[in-house]
């Protein structure tokens, strides 16, 4: 009898332990199911609050970076973050941006480089506070006229696209100091560029340019002009009115001579070789005598030769 009671007691204890283990397993399974149903905010960008948690304050600016996320389209909730001032969508796989981009009226900096964008939405013109737009290395063929409404733009990079011209409306970008149109399909400098009189930096390398218009002289604040790797046959005399030029790069063109007035560009202090060096870059041009020989004596020698007695 004693042994029977002992066996019954052991069996009861064993049943209780099995029940406890089964309960633990059920709770664990429930927890796993809940975790699958509720991904953490770090892993998901499916709501405004979760996206907002990725935004940071950097130097006092509301900043959000979604760079290198493999995005083919931005999350819909992004356009509700109207407090954003800096937005980085670079190095994704975006082919288009929605009209809701215009909701981000506080943006100061918009970084779109390294995507597959075919165009920019007209609503970009609603970003009235925008100062910097990076849209290089995309597949843009043109730029919307509405971009001309972004009259606070100071820096515009459209390099490495398929652009052949710019709309006249961009002549309203009177505060623009840096424009990069290199590596495009530009045959003539867009007329609007000559109205951007605050320009300090103008990059037009690797295009299809055959000439520069006399109106280049209107860019009175220009310090850096890069037109290498084009098909320029001559430089206009009016270029020599830009006495503030510190770097003029005309490498790899079809120049046979230079304007006699080039001696006026006194801030071009030397013949430069390194791409970042200030001075006159003029290698790989079919220069003819006597200019070719005179240049062997350096820029000072050229100036002395061209300057009237």
């Amino acid at each position: 009898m004693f042994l029977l009671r002992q066996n019954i007691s052991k069996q009861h204890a064993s049943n209780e332990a099995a029940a406890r283990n089964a309960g633990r397993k059920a709770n664990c399974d429930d927890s796993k199911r809940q975790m699958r149903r509720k991904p953490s905010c770090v892993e998901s960008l499916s709501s405004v609050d979760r996206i907002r948690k990725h935004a940071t304050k950097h130097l006092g600016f509301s900043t959000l970076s979604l760079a290198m996320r493999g995005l083919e389209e931005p999350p819909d909730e992004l356009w509700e973050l109207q407090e954003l001032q800096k937005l980085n969508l670079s190095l994704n796989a975006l082919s288009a941006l929605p009209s809701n981009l215009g909701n981000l009226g506080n943006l100061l900096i918009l970084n779109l480089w390294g995507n597959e964008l075919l165009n920019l939405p007209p609503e970009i013109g609603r970003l009235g506070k925008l100062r910097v737009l990076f849209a290089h290395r995309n597949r843009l063929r043109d730029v919307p006229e509405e971009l001309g409404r972004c009259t606070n733009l100071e820096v515009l990079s459209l390099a490495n696209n398929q652009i052949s011209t710019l709309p006249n409306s961009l002549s309203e970008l009177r505060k623009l100091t840096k424009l990069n149109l290199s590596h495009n399909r530009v045959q003539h400098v867009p007329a609007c560029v000559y109205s951007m009189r605050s320009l300090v930096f103008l990059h037009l390398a690797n295009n299809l340019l055959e000439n520069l218009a006399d109106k280049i002289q209107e860019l009175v604040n220009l310090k850096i002009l890069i037109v290498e790797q084009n098909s320029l046959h001559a430089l206009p005399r009016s270029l020599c009115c830009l006495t503030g030029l510190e770097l003029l790069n005309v490498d790899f063109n079809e120049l046979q001579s230079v304007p006699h007035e080039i001696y006026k560009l006194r801030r071009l202090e030397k013949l430069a070789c390194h791409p970042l060096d200030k001075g006159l870059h003029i290698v790989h041009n079919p220069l003819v005598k006597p200019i070719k020989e005179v240049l062997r004596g350096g820029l000072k020698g050229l100036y002395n030769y061209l300057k009237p007695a």
Side-chain angles (χ1 to χ4, degrees):
M1 181 64 72
F2 174 76
L3 290 174
L4 179 60
R5 287 182 186 148
Q6 194 173 37
N7 288 336
I8 292 173
S9 177
K10 286 181 179 179
Q11 185 176 2
H12 184 67
S14 177
N15 290 340
E16 287 183 348
R20 283 195 299 272
N21 289 335
R24 289 194 194 99
K25 186 177 184 303
N27 290 336
C28 182
D29 290 343
D30 287 343
S31 298
K32 289 180 179 178
R33 281 194 291 271
Q34 288 177 4
M35 288 176 69
R36 284 196 292 268
R37 284 197 300 268
K38 297 180 180 180
S40 70
C41 62
V42 174
E43 297 172 346
S44 174
L45 294 177
S46 61
S47 74
V48 176
D49 289 337
R50 286 171 180 162
I51 293 180
R52 185 171 278 118
K53 287 181 180 179
H54 287 259
T56 60
K57 278 284 186 181
H58 181 66
L59 300 176
F61 296 100
S62 177
T63 303
L64 175 63
S65 178
L66 296 178
M68 296 186 292
R69 296 294 186 97
L71 297 175
E72 295 184 2
E73 57 183 32
D76 292 338
E77 297 82 3
L78 171 61
W79 315 117
E80 298 182 39
L81 303 183
Q82 298 182 15
E83 71 276 13
L84 280 183
Q85 294 172 292
K86 296 182 179 181
L87 176 60
N88 187 352
L89 291 170
S90 65
L91 295 169
N92 281 292
L94 304 175
S95 60
L97 294 174
S99 59
N100 289 339
L101 172 66
N103 294 346
L104 304 183
N106 287 306
L107 274 187
L108 302 175
I109 299 176
L110 177 57
N111 192 342
L112 302 171
W113 85 271
N115 280 282
E116 301 290 334
L117 293 173
L118 300 174
N119 54 58
L120 298 174
E123 288 77 11
I124 197 170
R126 291 164 53 190
L127 306 181
K129 297 181 180 180
L130 196 64
R131 296 181 188 171
V132 177
L133 174 59
F134 296 127
H136 48 286
R137 294 192 180 277
N138 278 281
R139 298 169 61 190
L140 301 175
R141 291 182 178 273
D142 52 36
V143 175
E145 291 187 7
E146 290 79 2
L147 185 62
R149 298 177 187 171
C150 299
T151 53
N152 284 304
L153 263 181
E154 299 173 7
V155 178
L156 176 58
S157 180
L158 297 168
N160 294 89
N161 280 286
Q162 301 170 29
I163 295 169
S164 58
T165 190
L166 296 176
N168 289 333
S169 61
L170 268 59
S171 61
E172 298 299 319
L173 303 183
R174 305 289 171 79
K175 296 182 180 180
L176 200 68
T177 60
K178 296 181 180 180
L179 174 61
N180 190 341
L181 268 177
S182 64
H183 295 85
N184 275 286
R185 298 177 179 177
V186 178
Q187 293 183 353
H188 305 283
V189 178
C192 62
V193 171
Y194 298 120
S195 297
M196 300 173 180
R197 297 182 183 177
S198 295
L199 280 181
V200 174
F201 174 95
L202 178 57
H203 200 337
L204 294 166
N206 291 83
N207 275 288
L208 305 172
L209 297 173
E210 294 186 3
N211 59 72
L212 297 175
D214 285 333
K215 294 181 70 175
I216 192 74
Q217 66 183 331
E218 297 182 17
L219 302 181
V220 294
N221 292 299
L222 206 57
K223 293 184 178 181
I224 297 175
L225 176 59
I226 304 173
V227 288
E228 66 175 321
Q229 292 280 5
N230 279 283
S231 299
L232 296 174
H233 297 287
L235 298 175
R237 295 172 61 184
S238 60
L239 178 67
C240 303
C241 295
L242 302 180
T243 55
L245 274 179
E246 298 175 359
L247 189 159
L248 173 59
N249 190 334
V250 294
D251 288 346
F252 295 95
N253 276 282
E254 301 296 330
L255 300 176
Q256 295 186 4
S257 187
V258 294
H260 284 272
E261 295 82 1
I262 201 169
Y263 69 86
K264 296 179 181 179
L265 303 181
R266 289 293 180 180
R267 295 195 180 183
L268 300 178
E269 298 179 350
K270 63 180 181 180
L271 291 178
C273 297
H274 191 280
L276 298 179
D277 283 350
K278 292 182 179 181
L280 175 63
H281 300 249
I282 197 170
V283 300
H284 298 287
N285 281 281
L287 296 168
V288 298
K289 297 178 180 180
I291 298 299
K292 185 175 181 179
E293 285 75 11
V294 170
L295 278 171
R296 292 173 183 167
L299 193 58
K300 187 175 181 180
L302 176 65
Y303 285 175
N304 289 336
Y305 173 78
L306 294 175
K307 187 175 180 181

